[in-house]
Structure formats: structure tokens, C-alpha cells
Amino acid sequence: MSTVIDRLKLTTVRTGFVLGGRIAPKRTVNRAARLFATPFASSRSRAQAAQGDADMQRGELHVNGESIATYVWGEPSSQPYALLAHGWSSFGLRFLPWVARLRAQGLAVVTFDQPGHGHSTGKLCTLPEFIATIRAIGAHYGNAALAVGHSLGGAAVTLAQDEAWHAEQLILVAPAADMKAAARRFFRFVHLAGYLREPFYAWLHRRTGVHIDELQLERKLPMLGQPALIVHDLDDTDVPWGEGERYAQHWAGARLYTTEGLGHRRVLDAPEVIEAALAFVRGEEVGTRVVGSPNLSLCV
């Protein structure tokens, strides 16, 4: 029954965007952009259901007027620490399967909920806010020994690297690389007309002060010197595998670890992925080096 209701709601939304794009394009763009920037309610409900352990310290930081929920294991002020950044409509404790394994490597662990996600305040959130929150967490705890990002969190962790804050190693799981491609997928999903794309980008620019062209990862990747492991599943229907491959193509210190049959979400806590990530942290060779090829024919 709920599936039927969800389909009816989606049909109503799509019909509204098709008609609105013709009759009231400005209002329709504003509505669509707000929908694009609104995390799913499931982020909060799943965070409420997630349980930490006795060693977890709950806290909060104030970032750009929002209260950001934090979850800490160990003493990141005195230990090397791993920063774990969740993806769109997810939450920090989604990384619980990683925590004990990272602690066993001698790392403190810090994760958090982005604005509008989990236990953090806020209603709207976009990639620039993802980046700003990561930088604020980094400013509080200092440079990280390791940063792990999933999906949009992978893009945000990468774009957050600068002189003020960085991680010595990065692991990106199913990372998004092309924000314009993500917008196109959204447009197709809600049946929004293509001629509204530039006003849609302009709305995001007005909200964040960042133009979508500044969020294209190819601009950032050649400047990064840290070692990185890119994990992406061939059956990912949310963020295509080719976007993960793009990281490895343009990032000199990156290697690509490809899985199959895990999709976009199960790949994050699959045992074989966590094992590969820990091997990478220990300095072992994991994955393949991609030498600027659109396919893997030139991998060594």
C-alpha cells in the first residue's frame, strides 16, 4: 500500500513540475531547488534508531548558525584521528561498522551529522554546506590522519582539502564527481524541463555563493598529493562507477578498488570493503592504478 502511495505522490510531483515549468517557471524552479536541497526524512528517523556504544562521546558544534551533532571515540585532540563523512540523506552513525576496526588501528574516530541530517539542526543542505561543515569539524579537531567519505560526503571531503585543513590519507566510497550530472539525474527523475537548468543553478548560487562549475572535481583532483583509495561498485545506480574512476584518473596518488553487486549503499559497510580500506591504511597495495583511460585497459 505504501508503495502505491509513494508512486502516486511521485506522479503528482512530476505532473506539477511539468505544468509549472510552462505556467510559472520561476516559482517552479524555486520549488524544485528547495526539494533538491532537502534531505529525506529517513535521515532523521534512521539516526534516531542507531545506537552507539559505551565508548562513544556525543557532542555538538555550532557551524553557520546550525547545531551539528558529533560522535567521537578516543581523544582526537591527542591521537591521530579518522574523520568519517556521510552522504546525502544519511547520518554519521551509518559508519558504526567501521569504528571498532579503525580504533584497533590506533585511531580516534570522529563522525557527525550534516545540517538537516540526523540529529543536527537545519532544513536545507547542499554540497557547499557539506564542505563548510567538514572544514569546521577539521578546524576544531585539527588535521586528520584519515578521512573517509561516502557518496556526496566523498566529494565534500575531497573539496574540503586545503591549506587550513587536510587529511593525510583519504578513502572515498562511491564518491560523486560531477554535480551537473547529479542535477541532470534529478531533473530527469522529477520531469523538470531542461530549459530551467540555468535558473536552477542560479538559485543554488544565490543560496551558497558557490557556482556549480566550482564544484567540478576535475579542477581539484590534480592538485592533491595525498594517497587515496577510491571504492566504487559497478552496479551503483545512484552514482555511476565511472565517476569513481574519474577520481583515480585525475588524482596521481589514487587507486581504484572496484566491487560488484553491492550497489551504492551496501558497499559502505560490506566486510570486504572495510578489509580493503584497513589494508590501505596499513600501507598495503590495494586496487588498481588508473592511467588516464576512460576504461581500465591501461590499469597496472
Side-chain angles (χ1 to χ4, degrees), residues 9-33:
K9 287 180 179 178
L10 178 58
T11 299
T12 301
V13 168
R14 286 172 168 170
T15 301
F17 281 139
V18 170
L19 295 176
R22 299 170 185 165
I23 300 168
K26 183 176 181 180
R27 185 183 303 172
T28 300
V29 163
N30 289 345
R31 181 178 167 225

Side-chain angles (χ1 to χ4, degrees), residues 16-295:
F17 281 139
V18 170
L19 295 176
R22 299 170 185 165
I23 300 168
K26 183 176 181 180
R27 185 183 303 172
T28 300
V29 163
N30 289 345
R31 181 178 167 225
R34 290 185 67 85
L35 178 62
F36 184 75
T38 301
F40 303 152
S42 60
S43 168
R44 297 202 185 280
S45 59
R46 289 188 295 149
Q48 291 286 348
Q51 298 294 322
D53 55 38
D55 296 326
M56 186 182 78
Q57 308 159 52
R58 290 179 180 264
E60 65 177 25
L61 292 176
H62 294 282
V63 181
N64 295 333
E66 303 294 354
S67 177
I68 302 301
T70 61
Y71 313 93
V72 177
W73 291 260
E75 298 294 337
S77 59
S78 58
Q79 293 177 280
Y81 78 94
L83 177 66
L84 312 181
H86 68 76
W88 178 251
S89 292
S90 189
F91 56 102
L93 294 184
R94 178 73 171 78
F95 280 99
L96 279 174
W98 289 69
V99 173
R101 305 298 303 278
L102 292 170
R103 295 287 289 137
Q105 298 292 316
L107 295 168
V109 175
V110 176
T111 189
F112 61 97
D113 298 329
Q114 288 281 2
H117 293 73
H119 295 284
S120 293
T121 62
K123 293 182 178 180
L124 303 182
C125 195
T126 61
L127 178 54
E129 282 126 330
F130 262 54
I131 297 166
T133 305
I134 290 170
R135 285 177 172 164
I137 298 284
H140 184 79
Y141 291 107
N143 290 334
L146 171 69
V148 184
H150 176 232
S151 190
L152 193 68
V157 159
T158 304
L159 290 167
Q161 304 297 303
D162 61 16
E163 293 181 0
W165 180 81
H166 69 272
E168 295 174 12
Q169 293 180 308
L170 291 97
I171 299 172
L172 310 180
V173 182
D178 191 334
M179 298 307 109
K180 285 188 173 181
R184 287 194 297 271
R185 289 193 290 270
F186 172 75
F187 267 56
R188 287 195 298 270
F189 182 71
V190 300
H191 293 185
L192 201 61
Y195 61 81
L196 298 177
R197 197 166 294 145
E198 289 304 321
F200 178 87
Y201 295 158
W203 186 97
L204 296 172
H205 191 188
R206 287 193 302 274
R207 173 178 168 78
T208 66
V210 179
H211 193 275
I212 195 168
D213 288 339
E214 299 174 58
L215 301 173
Q216 298 300 99
L217 270 295
E218 283 91 340
R219 295 174 176 231
K220 183 79 171 184
L221 299 177
M223 298 183 288
L224 297 174
Q226 305 102 309
L229 178 66
I230 315 302
V231 180
H232 219 119
D233 193 84
L234 286 171
D235 299 315
D236 191 329
T237 57
D238 288 41
V239 178
W241 173 87
E243 294 199 25
E245 186 199 26
R246 201 179 307 178
Y247 279 82
Q249 287 176 348
H250 295 279
W251 189 336
R255 297 179 71 87
L256 178 64
Y257 179 78
T258 297
T259 61
E260 189 170 1
L262 296 174
H264 186 69
R265 291 167 183 81
R266 288 190 299 125
V267 69
L268 181 60
D269 48 22
E272 62 268 37
V273 169
I274 296 176
E275 289 296 337
L278 293 171
F280 168 78
V281 170
R282 293 191 296 266
E284 299 174 25
E285 190 172 279
V286 179
T288 55
R289 175 80 179 93
V290 179
V291 190
S293 172
N295 51 51

